[in-house]
Amino acid sequence: MTKLLTFILAILLLFTILRPSFAEIKSLKIISDSRSMILFERFGFTHTGHATIYVSSVSVLSSLASPDPSRLGFFLLAEESLIQVLVELQQNPSLCVLDSKYINLLFTFRDLSPPPHSSFNHSYPITSPNEYSLFFANCAPESTVSMDVHTELYNLDGRGLVKDYLSAGLTLLPALYFFFSVLYFAFFAFWGYICLTNKKSVHRIHTVMGLLVIMKALNLLCAAEDKHYVKVTGTPHGWDVLFYIFQFIRVVLLFSVIVLIGTGWSFLKPFLQEKEKKVLMIVIPLQVLANVASIVIGETGPFIKDWVTWNQVFLLVDIICCCAIIFPIVWSIRSLRETSKTDGKAARNLAKLTLFRQFYIVVIGYLYFTRIVVFALRTISAYKYQWVANAVEEIVSLAFYVVIFYMFRPVEKNEYFVLDDEEEEAAELALRDEEFEL
């Protein structure tokens, strides 16, 4: 029973952190599975919600006596009932979760049609709107289960005619993602205009930054189409493949741009030092691994045995990458600080130090908001307002792009480098008094 409690807490904690949406129609195959509980989906229902479950080809094998079919079945568990169920199981370790008074029992294997079909098909109306998790429980000792499972979780519109396969808190995501994709396309057009009007000041990093913006726009456009088709039909119609492709390119470019700007590549120096190359060689392969984990998480679900492991891999890799990209910025600040003592260009070095210090603060703020603040919003938001966390994340991301692109825009008369003698003297005093330490 201790393992069962650990399993439930780990799965639902990861759901809270990542808020994955397994709302689309799912057809799954469970083969010789001995787990006592399997989480299939989590979904926010309105008062017009329905849960349709079809199981077939069910077989139960046990090394002991023939298992009692009433000890195996499906149930829905509301989020606020989780604690009560855990307390109930702790007080009575021999209690089967199917007997808990805090769950919504759907059916047990006693309701299956007789062999050889061994199937069951039923649609359940949701009488109490809430966010529910769909579980399968196996309380038969020393037994394994094999079965085909088809699930459809959806809400109906006000007229009760149109199905919405997105969770109640995510139904606004298609419009939200499309709106931000339009903003990024406009951003890309404006960035192209700035680069064309300042050709002499354009460096290779500006081209990479433009590529990042267009990948972000395409990523959001595919996300909007993906969610739209899931919302309407229950399946992404191939848009998920394009979404993962552009997401992979976008994330690799984002971390690479932060690292390259942090090193001053192309606009301060035409090459990368060995230690800076090593950071890229660490970050890019890790991002490949993170995207593989993201695909596994998004395209499978908590019903697979290694789902928790893949989530842990994703979170660990993300933390490592976020830490790694800070080092080049710190190295550049320290290098500029040392250079300012010997090259006689105090004002220019002060401007560069100020710029990189601001860049460091912006990057830290972006990572903090998109990891910590967004997580907090997802944790405290009611299930009907899950989209708010997504909206905040996109707003913060857009603000980050705008600030960074403004700071490192191509301008012929860059304000940081147009200086007179008085500014030079003032900068020398500032560098002497101000230790640009982080």
Tab-separated table of all heavy atoms in Angstrom, residues 225-249:
chain	number	residue	atom	x	y	z
A	225	GLU	N	-3.339	25.102	-34.221
A	225	GLU	CA	-4.037	24.144	-35.085
A	225	GLU	C	-4.186	22.787	-34.398
A	225	GLU	O	-5.228	22.131	-34.507
A	225	GLU	CB	-3.276	23.989	-36.412
A	225	GLU	CG	-3.337	25.209	-37.308
A	225	GLU	CD	-4.760	25.510	-37.747
A	225	GLU	OE1	-5.487	24.570	-38.112
A	225	GLU	OE2	-5.160	26.687	-37.704
A	226	ASP	N	-3.148	22.373	-33.704
A	226	ASP	CA	-3.180	21.114	-32.957
A	226	ASP	C	-4.329	21.120	-31.954
A	226	ASP	O	-5.185	20.210	-31.936
A	226	ASP	CB	-1.838	20.923	-32.242
A	226	ASP	CG	-1.770	19.629	-31.442
A	226	ASP	OD1	-2.709	18.818	-31.532
A	226	ASP	OD2	-0.780	19.439	-30.713
A	227	LYS	N	-4.379	22.170	-31.113
A	227	LYS	CA	-5.436	22.261	-30.103
A	227	LYS	C	-6.814	22.427	-30.736
A	227	LYS	O	-7.809	21.916	-30.209
A	227	LYS	CB	-5.157	23.435	-29.162
A	227	LYS	CG	-3.893	23.287	-28.329
A	227	LYS	CD	-3.939	22.060	-27.439
A	227	LYS	CE	-2.691	21.937	-26.596
A	227	LYS	NZ	-2.682	20.680	-25.798
A	228	HIS	N	-6.885	23.122	-31.859
A	228	HIS	CA	-8.184	23.308	-32.529
A	228	HIS	C	-8.767	21.979	-32.985
A	228	HIS	O	-9.946	21.679	-32.744
A	228	HIS	CB	-8.024	24.248	-33.723
A	228	HIS	CG	-9.230	24.287	-34.616
A	228	HIS	ND1	-10.410	24.913	-34.253
A	228	HIS	CD2	-9.450	23.741	-35.849
A	228	HIS	CE1	-11.300	24.762	-35.236
A	228	HIS	NE2	-10.741	24.063	-36.200
A	229	TYR	N	-7.922	21.164	-33.635
A	229	TYR	CA	-8.423	19.882	-34.139
A	229	TYR	C	-8.720	18.909	-32.999
A	229	TYR	O	-9.661	18.110	-33.091
A	229	TYR	CB	-7.423	19.280	-35.130
A	229	TYR	CG	-7.567	19.852	-36.520
A	229	TYR	CD1	-6.693	20.818	-36.993
A	229	TYR	CD2	-8.618	19.438	-37.349
A	229	TYR	CE1	-6.841	21.364	-38.262
A	229	TYR	CE2	-8.774	19.969	-38.618
A	229	TYR	CZ	-7.887	20.934	-39.072
A	229	TYR	OH	-8.048	21.476	-40.331
A	230	VAL	N	-7.931	18.971	-31.933
A	230	VAL	CA	-8.238	18.143	-30.761
A	230	VAL	C	-9.567	18.586	-30.157
A	230	VAL	O	-10.406	17.751	-29.795
A	230	VAL	CB	-7.113	18.241	-29.710
A	230	VAL	CG1	-7.549	17.594	-28.400
A	230	VAL	CG2	-5.849	17.564	-30.218
A	231	LYS	N	-9.766	19.878	-30.078
A	231	LYS	CA	-11.003	20.431	-29.522
A	231	LYS	C	-12.230	19.981	-30.321
A	231	LYS	O	-13.269	19.621	-29.756
A	231	LYS	CB	-10.908	21.956	-29.525
A	231	LYS	CG	-12.168	22.714	-29.110
A	231	LYS	CD	-11.957	24.215	-29.289
A	231	LYS	CE	-13.232	24.988	-29.034
A	231	LYS	NZ	-13.535	25.118	-27.607
A	232	VAL	N	-12.115	19.974	-31.643
A	232	VAL	CA	-13.264	19.703	-32.508
A	232	VAL	C	-13.452	18.217	-32.793
A	232	VAL	O	-14.582	17.713	-32.786
A	232	VAL	CB	-13.125	20.477	-33.838
A	232	VAL	CG1	-14.251	20.126	-34.798
A	232	VAL	CG2	-13.118	21.980	-33.563
A	233	THR	N	-12.342	17.507	-33.035
A	233	THR	CA	-12.449	16.110	-33.480
A	233	THR	C	-11.895	15.101	-32.485
A	233	THR	O	-12.160	13.907	-32.623
A	233	THR	CB	-11.716	15.924	-34.825
A	233	THR	OG1	-10.308	16.090	-34.618
A	233	THR	CG2	-12.195	16.933	-35.861
A	234	GLY	N	-11.082	15.558	-31.542
A	234	GLY	CA	-10.484	14.628	-30.591
A	234	GLY	C	-9.130	14.115	-31.014
A	234	GLY	O	-8.457	13.427	-30.243
A	235	THR	N	-8.687	14.441	-32.231
A	235	THR	CA	-7.371	14.024	-32.722
A	235	THR	C	-6.676	15.215	-33.383
A	235	THR	O	-7.344	16.079	-33.968
A	235	THR	CB	-7.476	12.874	-33.737
A	235	THR	OG1	-8.331	13.279	-34.819
A	235	THR	CG2	-8.049	11.629	-33.081
A	236	PRO	N	-5.340	15.279	-33.341
A	236	PRO	CA	-4.625	16.456	-33.858
A	236	PRO	C	-4.452	16.487	-35.371
A	236	PRO	O	-3.976	17.483	-35.911
A	236	PRO	CB	-3.271	16.367	-33.160
A	236	PRO	CG	-3.086	14.916	-32.886
A	236	PRO	CD	-4.448	14.358	-32.618
A	237	HIS	N	-4.788	15.402	-36.078
A	237	HIS	CA	-4.702	15.365	-37.546
A	237	HIS	C	-3.302	15.699	-38.064
A	237	HIS	O	-3.145	16.368	-39.091
A	237	HIS	CB	-5.718	16.326	-38.171
A	237	HIS	CG	-7.140	15.863	-38.050
A	237	HIS	ND1	-7.805	15.199	-39.071
A	237	HIS	CD2	-8.014	15.929	-37.036
A	237	HIS	CE1	-9.042	14.906	-38.686
A	237	HIS	NE2	-9.185	15.333	-37.443
A	238	GLY	N	-2.279	15.256	-37.370
A	238	GLY	CA	-0.906	15.445	-37.834
A	238	GLY	C	-0.257	16.752	-37.422
A	238	GLY	O	0.954	16.922	-37.604
A	239	TRP	N	-1.031	17.678	-36.886
A	239	TRP	CA	-0.443	18.957	-36.477
A	239	TRP	C	0.497	18.801	-35.290
A	239	TRP	O	1.373	19.643	-35.069
A	239	TRP	CB	-1.556	19.955	-36.137
A	239	TRP	CG	-2.202	20.538	-37.359
A	239	TRP	CD1	-3.377	20.158	-37.927
A	239	TRP	CD2	-1.693	21.601	-38.176
A	239	TRP	NE1	-3.639	20.907	-39.049
A	239	TRP	CE2	-2.633	21.807	-39.223
A	239	TRP	CE3	-0.557	22.400	-38.126
A	239	TRP	CZ2	-2.438	22.782	-40.210
A	239	TRP	CZ3	-0.363	23.369	-39.102
A	239	TRP	CH2	-1.296	23.558	-40.125
A	240	ASP	N	0.324	17.727	-34.517
A	240	ASP	CA	1.226	17.500	-33.393
A	240	ASP	C	2.648	17.228	-33.866
A	240	ASP	O	3.615	17.604	-33.209
A	240	ASP	CB	0.715	16.366	-32.513
A	240	ASP	CG	0.447	15.096	-33.299
A	240	ASP	OD1	0.250	15.175	-34.521
A	240	ASP	OD2	0.409	14.008	-32.678
A	241	VAL	N	2.776	16.579	-35.041
A	241	VAL	CA	4.116	16.299	-35.585
A	241	VAL	C	4.830	17.603	-35.923
A	241	VAL	O	5.992	17.819	-35.549
A	241	VAL	CB	4.009	15.403	-36.841
A	241	VAL	CG1	5.393	15.178	-37.441
A	241	VAL	CG2	3.357	14.074	-36.494
A	242	LEU	N	4.122	18.506	-36.641
A	242	LEU	CA	4.709	19.806	-36.973
A	242	LEU	C	5.006	20.610	-35.712
A	242	LEU	O	6.026	21.303	-35.630
A	242	LEU	CB	3.763	20.589	-37.876
A	242	LEU	CG	3.599	20.062	-39.306
A	242	LEU	CD1	2.528	20.843	-40.045
A	242	LEU	CD2	4.924	20.147	-40.053
A	243	PHE	N	4.111	20.508	-34.730
A	243	PHE	CA	4.325	21.221	-33.468
A	243	PHE	C	5.625	20.786	-32.808
A	243	PHE	O	6.432	21.627	-32.377
A	243	PHE	CB	3.148	20.973	-32.522
A	243	PHE	CG	3.400	21.405	-31.111
A	243	PHE	CD1	3.371	22.748	-30.768
A	243	PHE	CD2	3.686	20.472	-30.119
A	243	PHE	CE1	3.616	23.156	-29.463
A	243	PHE	CE2	3.926	20.875	-28.820
A	243	PHE	CZ	3.898	22.222	-28.489
A	244	TYR	N	5.869	19.483	-32.732
A	244	TYR	CA	7.088	18.992	-32.088
A	244	TYR	C	8.333	19.359	-32.883
A	244	TYR	O	9.393	19.641	-32.308
A	244	TYR	CB	7.004	17.480	-31.901
A	244	TYR	CG	6.036	17.062	-30.827
A	244	TYR	CD1	4.969	16.210	-31.107
A	244	TYR	CD2	6.178	17.519	-29.524
A	244	TYR	CE1	4.069	15.826	-30.127
A	244	TYR	CE2	5.279	17.148	-28.531
A	244	TYR	CZ	4.230	16.304	-28.838
A	244	TYR	OH	3.343	15.942	-27.870
A	245	ILE	N	8.226	19.375	-34.216
A	245	ILE	CA	9.379	19.745	-35.052
A	245	ILE	C	9.771	21.192	-34.795
A	245	ILE	O	10.948	21.503	-34.528
A	245	ILE	CB	9.057	19.533	-36.543
A	245	ILE	CG1	8.949	18.038	-36.854
A	245	ILE	CG2	10.143	20.169	-37.423
A	245	ILE	CD1	8.466	17.741	-38.257
A	246	PHE	N	8.799	22.100	-34.866
A	246	PHE	CA	9.098	23.514	-34.661
A	246	PHE	C	9.449	23.816	-33.207
A	246	PHE	O	10.249	24.713	-32.930
A	246	PHE	CB	7.919	24.380	-35.114
A	246	PHE	CG	7.765	24.447	-36.604
A	246	PHE	CD1	6.591	24.028	-37.224
A	246	PHE	CD2	8.792	24.915	-37.405
A	246	PHE	CE1	6.447	24.084	-38.598
A	246	PHE	CE2	8.666	24.976	-38.787
A	246	PHE	CZ	7.482	24.560	-39.386
A	247	GLN	N	8.873	23.064	-32.282
A	247	GLN	CA	9.230	23.251	-30.878
A	247	GLN	C	10.680	22.880	-30.639
A	247	GLN	O	11.407	23.599	-29.933
A	247	GLN	CB	8.334	22.393	-29.979
A	247	GLN	CG	8.719	22.469	-28.503
A	247	GLN	CD	7.823	21.631	-27.622
A	247	GLN	OE1	6.878	22.129	-27.025
A	247	GLN	NE2	8.095	20.331	-27.538
A	248	PHE	N	11.121	21.795	-31.233
A	248	PHE	CA	12.508	21.374	-31.091
A	248	PHE	C	13.465	22.438	-31.633
A	248	PHE	O	14.422	22.847	-30.963
A	248	PHE	CB	12.734	20.052	-31.812
A	248	PHE	CG	14.181	19.672	-31.967
A	248	PHE	CD1	14.927	19.290	-30.869
A	248	PHE	CD2	14.799	19.719	-33.202
A	248	PHE	CE1	16.262	18.955	-30.995
A	248	PHE	CE2	16.133	19.385	-33.344
A	248	PHE	CZ	16.870	19.003	-32.239
A	249	ILE	N	13.189	22.918	-32.857
A	249	ILE	CA	14.051	23.930	-33.464
A	249	ILE	C	14.031	25.210	-32.639
A	249	ILE	O	15.071	25.829	-32.383
A	249	ILE	CB	13.605	24.218	-34.917
A	249	ILE	CG1	13.700	22.950	-35.773
A	249	ILE	CG2	14.457	25.326	-35.529
A	249	ILE	CD1	13.120	23.098	-37.163
